[in-house]
């Protein structure tokens, strides 16, 4: 394929209106000039988006495939997003719902370093869902947070994830906190190994700082003994994540947090489809694990939306490596068996605030999580 | 004030429901744990958001003021946005519509370097709206784009802005293009000065590259003789912009482009208010000029939404310096007189694709723009 394709859902009055809308998107996200002044030759033939199909889907909705040439993108992810849904993000009745990559996209945006298979190797867990407590709340001291890391890791957590609100506040500055937390998890891992366990806990440090410090902070976490990082693409940008994923000197898995991304998916009428944002784009941008709010928690995602996310994360036909979905947002141990039925084994099961009810017996909760997933 | 406040519009069933929703936001965007496990003392008293008021606004809407302490933020903008609308961005029925800063916010996020008054000094234009052609389309050579820069600058453009789709594509790589364009505008400025003109054109280079290159590319533009930069916070993050605005070695004004930000404002039900995003947050993050789609063009903003943006950009009670609104998106010379009536003099008037109809007589269009604004 000479060009890659984006599928948009369009809301329109009729076929003619839908075709006009598609033609306008092809202009808007590439040359951004009226059709009659598009220069003939290279710009019209290559740079301009091309409407490949506009087919009615429902009573007032159409699916349109628009193809783009990599020349309209270049080598950088921000401009790829500009082409996919830059100015068109400001249009109602336009929703980007899927990407069909070509060899150009695959070569320039190869995706995750680790993915589903990589996480099995890193944790040593050959099967079963991943138990993932979230360490919080912000305002706690680094020592307190590190202690919770130790307790959950010691009890068998697969991933010990920092809360996305643990940034670089004075109560627990990033560098102090990450150093202590990594030491705590590595101590727990040594103790587990001494007892003959073949699995280990991976500590994911939340990158909290300025956007131009992301790489330095990620390197610091790596050097301090962290085993992964948590990053918020809705605040730092998708490319910040991708730059780490493609950095051959940075060798930790990346978990993407959905904070500040909600408006992109909450309307059926604009933005991205759930699977496109939390599946396709996370894979494209190098996430190994994509966190999203599970249905029935504090947020309003439907079962179908969650299933679409999971499908797009794990399908073998997607961009780069298959990655791990990670549902969270107000879950409890009681819900884990049902969640396991829905999401299966290649999934990171997040549990946060409710674990704090256990106080220093939080390790008991981790063991109950393990049992709930394995039972 | 010990704390800063965010005003949210909440959609709820009744007063009690609205109060519950407000309390949940105060939890969600700070400690993110159930209320009953919030540790007493510092975390409950300082870190946790506080609901200050919940007042009915309309039949199904309430206005709630929630206060936060700077300790929940720290010193970095990403975490401030996390507190304002991080996880709460994923909630329907919650819209952040205003920020009331306190001294902490003002000290840590001082805003734009130049603003309204600064742009008057930089351009030498003592009064009148700013004429701002947009140079495009992508796919053109650096030489062609630089020639358009020259022609528009020579004819009296106040700001020569690159299209936000001119990134770092092979047809016109960032460094080649910016060097030639800056030379072209500076040549036009010298010729204008020789003819006794007291105003000059400012060339704004669009930052196109990887997110971890933003500073290097901005410095390159400055060294190459550009007079400002265009940056897309929806792709590079608001903090990328703020870091340049607060960098004492970077001394160019910043124009913020709304690409990829649409979903934050398009629904009345979630995200940000128009004035909050394109006014308050742009000021907070150091933009000198905030681009937004004018009513009646290719996008669907209403007159009232545009007026709110302009008011928040320019009000003397806002964050940091007053900044310049910049409406665009399918405007024409014929519309300028009406636009001037609405937006007044401290405004950057964007005209893009329609100028290309003039070909190499684009300078005539610039002169007509000037007349339309001054007439």
């Amino acid at each position: 394929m000479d060009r890659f394709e984006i599928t948009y859902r369009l809301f329109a009055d009729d076929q003619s209106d839908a075709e006009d809308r598609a033609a306008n998107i092809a202009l808007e996200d590439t040359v951004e000039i009226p059709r009659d002044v598009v220069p003939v030759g290279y710009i019209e033939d290559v740079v301009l988006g091309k409407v490949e199909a506009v087919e009615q889907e429902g009573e007032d909705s159409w699916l349109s495939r628009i193809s783009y040439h990599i020349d309209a993108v270049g080598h950088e992810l921000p401009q790829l997003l500009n082409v996919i849904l830059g100015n068109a993000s400001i249009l109602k009745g336009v929703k980007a719902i899927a990407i069909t990559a070509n060899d150009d996209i695959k070569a320039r945006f190869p995706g995750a370093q680790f993915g589903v298979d990589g996480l099995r190797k890193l944790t040593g867990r050959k099967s079963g869902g991943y138990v993932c407590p979230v360490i919080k709340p912000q305002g706690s001291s680094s020592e307190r947070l590190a202690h919770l890391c130790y307790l959950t890791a010691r009890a068998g957590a697969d991933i010990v994830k920092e809360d996305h609100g643990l940034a670089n506040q004075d109560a627990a500055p990033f560098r102090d906190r990450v150093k202590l937390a990594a030491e705590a998890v590595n101590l727990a891992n040594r103790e587990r190994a001494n007892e003959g366990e073949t699995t280990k806990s991976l500590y994911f440090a939340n990158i909290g700082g300025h956007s131009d410090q992301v790489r330095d902070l990620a390197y610091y976490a790596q050097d301090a003994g962290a085993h992964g990082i948590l990053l918020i693409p809705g605040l730092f940008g998708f490319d910040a994540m991708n730059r780490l994923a493609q950095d051959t000197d940075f060798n930790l898995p990346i978990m993407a947090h959905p904070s500040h991304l909600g408006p992109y998916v909450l309307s059926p009428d604009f933005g991205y489809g759930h699977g496109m944002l939390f599946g396709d784009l996370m894979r494209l941008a190098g996430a190994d694990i994509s966190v999203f709010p599970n249905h029935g928690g504090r947020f309003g995602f439907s079962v179908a939306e969650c299933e679409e996310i999971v499908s797009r994360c794990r399908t073998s036909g997607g961009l780069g490596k298959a990655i791990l979905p990670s549902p969270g947002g107000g879950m409890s141990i009681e819900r884990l068996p049902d969640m396991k039925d829905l999401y299966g084994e290649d999934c990171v099961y997040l549990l946060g605030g409710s674990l704090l009810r256990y106080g220093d017996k939080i390790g008991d909760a981790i063991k109950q999580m393990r049992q709930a997933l394995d039972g």
Side-chain angles (χ1 to χ4, degrees), chain A:
Chain A
M1 274 165 65
D2 192 35
R3 301 164 73 89
F4 64 96
E5 290 184 357
I6 304 298
T7 302
Y8 300 90
R9 177 170 290 126
L10 306 179
F11 293 89
D13 297 330
D14 52 33
Q15 179 71 25
S16 166
D17 183 35
E19 288 174 9
D20 286 350
R21 301 210 70 174
N24 285 336
I25 294 167
L27 285 166
E28 187 72 57
D29 281 350
T30 56
V31 293
E32 207 197 334
I33 56 177
R35 183 65 184 86
D36 62 293
V37 293
V38 175
V40 296
Y42 173 71
I43 295 178
E44 181 175 44
D45 298 341
V46 176
V47 175
L48 177 63
K50 274 189 194 164
V51 180
E52 303 286 349
V54 185
E55 291 166 6
Q56 190 155 12
E57 180 199 30
E59 196 177 339
D60 61 350
S61 72
W62 276 257
L63 292 182
S64 175
R65 288 183 290 111
I66 299 179
S67 71
Y68 301 100
H69 195 281
I70 198 72
D71 280 11
V73 172
H75 295 262
E76 293 95 357
L77 185 56
Q79 176 59 15
L80 174 58
L81 295 178
N82 229 357
V83 167
I84 294 173
L85 197 76
N87 273 6
S89 81
I90 317 175
L91 293 169
K92 287 186 184 174
V94 175
K95 201 169 172 73
I97 62 171
I99 178 169
T100 306
N102 66 351
D103 287 345
D104 294 323
I105 292 290
K106 289 174 187 167
R108 296 187 188 190
F109 305 98
Q113 269 197 55
F114 298 92
V116 168
D117 295 339
L119 262 285
R120 289 280 168 215
K121 291 190 189 108
L122 291 171
T123 57
R125 174 166 301 290
K126 295 205 172 69
S127 65
Y130 296 97
V131 168
C132 181
V134 183
I135 302 304
K136 47 172 97 174
Q138 66 141 302
S140 307
S141 69
S142 297
E143 290 75 14
R144 174 64 190 162
L145 295 164
H147 185 57
L148 291 172
C149 288
Y150 172 80
L151 293 174
T152 53
R154 189 71 183 82
D158 296 300
I159 295 176
V160 176
K161 168 194 169 289
E162 288 189 332
D163 184 51
H164 78 285
L166 298 176
N168 188 37
Q169 298 96 334
D170 293 344
F174 177 83
R175 289 170 190 265
D176 295 349
R177 185 184 82 232
V178 169
K179 184 170 180 293
L180 291 180
E183 285 172 1
V185 174
N186 285 314
L187 171 62
N189 280 335
R190 286 195 299 277
E191 293 175 355
R192 284 167 63 171
N194 288 341
E195 291 171 0
E197 274 198 51
T198 56
T199 60
K200 62 182 276 195
S201 280
L202 307 182
Y203 160 62
F204 277 58
N206 180 46
I207 298 299
H210 288 297
S211 63
D212 53 359
Q213 298 173 326
V214 169
R215 189 194 327 210
D216 286 348
L217 298 175
Y219 273 62
Y220 176 86
Q222 178 170 261
D223 293 342
H227 313 93
I229 61 159
L230 180 73
L231 190 67
I232 307 175
L235 295 173
F236 293 98
F238 279 87
D239 190 45
M241 185 161 74
N242 193 43
R243 290 296 276 170
L244 289 174
Q246 307 314 328
D247 181 342
T248 52
D249 292 326
F250 183 73
N251 301 304
L252 302 185
I254 302 170
M255 181 183 261
H257 192 281
S259 177
H260 211 245
L261 285 176
Y264 286 106
V265 300
L266 286 184
S267 168
D269 199 33
F270 54 78
Y272 293 108
H274 289 73
M276 174 90 182
L277 181 62
F278 293 114
D280 297 357
L281 290 187
M282 291 298 178
R283 286 173 76 149
L284 182 74
D288 297 283
I289 304 170
S290 174
V291 176
F292 65 94
N294 194 29
H295 69 94
R298 299 193 306 273
F299 304 90
F301 285 17
S302 70
V303 174
E305 288 161 351
C306 293
E307 286 179 321
E308 183 185 78
I309 292 168
V310 171
S311 164
R312 297 287 188 88
C313 284
R314 293 198 302 220
T315 180
S316 59
L319 286 153
K321 293 182 173 67
I323 67 171
L324 290 146
S326 184
M331 296 298 102
S332 62
I333 296 172
E334 293 69 35
R335 285 201 61 189
L336 285 178
D338 279 348
M339 289 175 72
K340 186 192 151 202
D341 288 344
L342 181 63
Y343 297 118
E345 296 201 347
D346 287 326
C347 178
V348 175
Y349 292 92
L350 289 182
L351 234 61
S354 62
L355 296 182
L356 292 184
R357 293 221 172 78
Y358 289 77
D360 279 352
K361 293 190 174 169
I362 196 170
D364 294 350
I366 299 303
K367 288 170 184 160
Q368 290 170 28
M369 286 182 74
R370 183 78 263 153
Q371 289 162 1
L373 289 178
D374 290 345

